[in-house]
Structures are given as C-alpha cells and as structure tokens.
Amino acid sequence: MTPETVFGSITAMGIQKPDDDKRYMSGFGNHFEAEALPGALPQGMNSPQSCAYGLYAEQLSGTAFTAPAAKNRRTWCYRIRPSVQHSGRYRLIELPFWKSAPHICDKLVSLGQYRWDPLPYQRVPLNWLTGMRSMTTTGDVNTHTGMASHVYLVTESMQDSYFSSADSECLVVPQEGILRFFTELGMVDIAPGEIAILPRGIVYRVAVLEGPCRGFVCENYGQLFELPARGPIGANCMANSRDFKVPVAAFEDRETPSQLTIKWCGQFYQCEIAHSPLDVVAWHGNHVPMKYDLKSYCPLGALLFDHPDPSIFTVLTAPSAVPGSANIDFVLFRERWLVAENTFRPPWYHRNVMSELMGNIYGQYDAKPQGFAPGGISLHNMLLPHGPDRDAFEQASRGKQTPQKLDYTMSFMFETCFAQHLTEFAAKEAGLQDDYMRCWSGLEKKFDGTPGGKDEP
C-alpha cells in the first residue's frame, strides 16, 4: 500500500479520517495514549511478555531517566519492528546549507543590526532536507546548549525518505504553503499562522500539501520548550495548554527500499532500510509532536500607561542554566488593541542583553512599517541598539491616542541569551539589506535645553 493509503487506513479501522480534527488530542505536556488498532495498547504495564498483534515494545526517551518528574519526557511505542531494524551502516552525507553550532566564520561580522528580504524559491526542486537554509547559530550542539535559526524552502515531498534529529527539538513556523509531517506517532499538518514542535529523536517525513512552502525553523539544542510561568498573570491567557494538539496513532506497513537520514552532533548520516520506519501502531507518553494555532494566543498589554516588556508575549520558553535567562524564548506579536494613554506605544528603543531574531509571517510590524516584508528576517544581536524607524517614531509621537487595533499582523521572535553568529549563506547569499541601518538615519535631534524648552517632539 502507498504511505497515504496506510495512514488513511485508520478510517477503515473505524477511527477517523486523516483530515479530521478529531485525529488530534488536546494538551501541552500531558501524558497521552493512542492506538490505530483496537487492543494494540497494553493496559496497566509498559512491557508485557507478548504484545498484541505481534508488536514490539520500545521506549523513546526525550530526557534522562532520572529527570525530575515534571520535566521527564518519554514515550512507549508498540511497533511492527523494533528500531534496530530501521538502522543500518551509516555513511556521512553533505547538506551544505544546514549548519550547526559551533559555527563561527572568522571573516564574517555578526556584530550588527541586520535584515533580510524573503528568500526566493529556487529553480531546482527542494525537499525538507535539501531546502533548509541556516541563518544563525549559537551555543554548542555537542553540549546541548544554544540554538540555530533556519529558513526552509520546500517544493516537493520526501519520497521513501525519512529524517530524525538527535541534536534538537525543532520549532517550525510556516509562512507560505501547507506541510504534513508524517511522524512515528501520527500526522501533523501545519499552515501559516500555526506552529509545530518536533521532538528530538522522532522519525518523520515531510509532504507538501499545498506549495511552494516557505517558513522558519528554530532548532533548540537545550532544555525542551515549555509554557512560560505566568506569575502574577495567573492561570489563564497567553498560550493555554488545551490549545496544543497532539496526533493520534497512525502507521505505515510498507515493504519498500527507503533511506533514513539522522542529524547527529551537527553532521548528517544516512543508511538504507528495506521498509518504512513509521510503524508505531500504538503508543503512550509525553515525548510527542504537536501543533498550535497562533491565533489561539491571548495577548496581554498595558491598560493605562507605558509599554510592557516584549517578554509578556512569550508563547514558549526553553530554559537555560541561569534562571530567567532563556536558552530560547519564542515570542509572538499578533493582532491586538493598543489603549495606553500618554505612552509611546510601539516597542521602545532598546539595547538588549539577549539577542533577537525576528521573522514576519504576514502583515506589517508596527515598529518597522517599511522594508520588513512577510518572509523576511531581522537580527539585533546582544546589546546592539534597535527600535522603531523614523516614520514609526513620528507617527507614534504625534498621533492622537485613541484606542487602536493592530490588525492583520503576525511576526515572531527567537530570543536567546547567547549571541547569534551569521552563517556564510546569511552574510553572502540570503538577500541581506545593505541599507537597513538607514531606517534610523532620519531621526532628528529634537533636544531643546533652554528654559521652557519643548517637552514634546
């Protein structure tokens, strides 16, 4: 049977159609269970002497066995073959545009304020592996610290080809097109305005449902993403756990020559196998792929005066060893009301100890109404000044401050406590805007130090 037929066969088994929303379960960090065949999931134990349907029991660990219970991630899989049969003699392969940290090019200057146009699609077909373009890296993939940011350009599906990353948890942010991730634990579809989280070690292949496809990827080398502590905000708003969706079990039972590619310690290895590795018929656990609709994010803001720190818009955070300084914060700037009085409403001018890589999904970003196009990227590295351009400053300083709806706008930020280093592709091939710094050149000196001088611009 074809992969689509096999995954679709859960309909014939009396469960649900592949495109039915009921093929997702709800919750972030929950312990889930799912089976594609009735009775395939053992009850009351993990490793019975003999599994139903002749399946093999196998555990996938996302954290160390002894990780604290609140952070421990693992999933028990009941599969047609154990994963040792989905592995062979590996050979090193090259994916020249996909880089990992540490990756520091001595002749490149990462110190600066940078912005890029959207990456154009290529004339040659590209899949999930060949279409990945690394922009920045930081930390060390070998010691599980830091991250990398990428743009993907995908025009074709992976055929009889599968991928797994031993290095990272991947956060995928589509900007154009619709992708389907066929994973060991089920199917996840994502379109612009949604995100997907693919756990470290999970095997999957990527299909194009509607293309071409472009988007952003944050490779998290460090501690796993979690929901931020809300503190005085309380139990609600921001990203709510019930809005994260986890797939139900679905599997491939396919005897066909295939390739498995593994990213391991920053390099890529490939082996040949004789069948599909997506053969998990039932599973239970919490080390799972998931998706989230960014329009479910409930933003908070100032109700009277001043502009809160952008951290109030955090969707997910991956902690570092230093409390409060994230390995990665995923921050969302979406549609919202501005109502603060006597306040400069756009993001203020700032020098941040964290480094900020931003991407535009759609619309205009309020601090940069010109030049930051959907699909574009900006980088403001640690302790480098940045803020609104001249037009945004003048409008925000002089405009009448009635309640204002920021509409049709969605951009995001990968913020990290580490400095981000440019890749050679980002510096030389990716459409860097050489004139980006000019957006601040028109800011005028307005200072008047005379007695009774102006209090306003």
Side-chain angles (χ1 to χ4, degrees), residues 302-354:
L303 296 178
L304 190 59
F305 62 89
D306 275 351
H307 188 294
D309 296 331
S311 51
I312 202 170
F313 299 131
T314 300
V315 181
L316 295 165
T317 186
S320 75
V322 180
S325 296
N327 186 70
I328 306 165
D329 279 334
F330 174 60
V331 182
L332 179 69
F333 306 100
R334 61 155 302 186
E335 296 87 351
R336 60 198 184 275
W337 280 95
L338 304 179
V339 299
E341 302 173 354
N342 191 28
T343 292
F344 186 77
R345 291 177 176 178
W348 14 255
Y349 295 102
H350 187 206
R351 289 181 292 165
N352 191 356
V353 72
M354 310 280 277

Side-chain angles (χ1 to χ4, degrees), residues 160-362:
D160 300 324
S161 176
Y162 303 87
F163 177 68
S164 177
S165 175
D167 288 345
S168 59
E169 174 186 42
C170 282
L171 171 63
V172 184
V173 186
Q175 189 266 320
E176 284 187 340
I178 302 175
L179 293 175
R180 171 170 288 174
F181 294 91
F182 292 86
T183 81
E184 292 180 273
L185 306 186
M187 292 182 292
V188 176
D189 297 345
I190 55 169
E194 298 178 314
I195 60 172
I197 300 174
L198 304 171
R200 177 183 281 128
I202 202 82
V203 177
Y204 62 91
R205 63 182 176 86
V206 184
V208 175
L209 297 187
E210 183 180 303
C213 300
R214 179 173 58 201
F216 313 91
V217 173
C218 179
E219 262 198 289
N220 174 21
Y221 304 145
Q223 296 185 54
L224 302 181
F225 281 114
E226 59 188 47
L227 296 178
R230 294 186 178 96
I233 294 169
N236 304 293
C237 294
M238 302 175 75
N240 293 305
S241 61
R242 69 186 294 263
D243 295 318
F244 288 81
K245 306 299 182 185
V246 172
V248 300
F251 66 95
E252 292 180 344
D253 183 10
R254 222 162 36 97
E255 309 286 333
T256 186
S258 303
Q259 289 181 331
L260 174 64
T261 303
I262 294 181
K263 185 175 185 288
W264 190 85
C265 293
Q267 294 185 303
F268 295 88
Y269 301 86
Q270 197 171 82
C271 70
E272 309 298 327
I273 54 179
H275 39 261
S276 168
L278 307 185
D279 63 355
V280 177
V281 179
W283 60 268
H284 75 87
N286 61 354
H287 190 62
V288 294
M290 65 185 76
K291 65 179 289 185
Y292 175 71
D293 187 342
L294 295 173
K295 290 190 175 179
S296 299
Y297 184 82
C298 181
L300 301 169
L303 296 178
L304 190 59
F305 62 89
D306 275 351
H307 188 294
D309 296 331
S311 51
I312 202 170
F313 299 131
T314 300
V315 181
L316 295 165
T317 186
S320 75
V322 180
S325 296
N327 186 70
I328 306 165
D329 279 334
F330 174 60
V331 182
L332 179 69
F333 306 100
R334 61 155 302 186
E335 296 87 351
R336 60 198 184 275
W337 280 95
L338 304 179
V339 299
E341 302 173 354
N342 191 28
T343 292
F344 186 77
R345 291 177 176 178
W348 14 255
Y349 295 102
H350 187 206
R351 289 181 292 165
N352 191 356
V353 72
M354 310 280 277
S355 63
E356 307 174 7
L357 184 136
M358 287 192 63
N360 189 354
I361 300 173
Y362 61 75

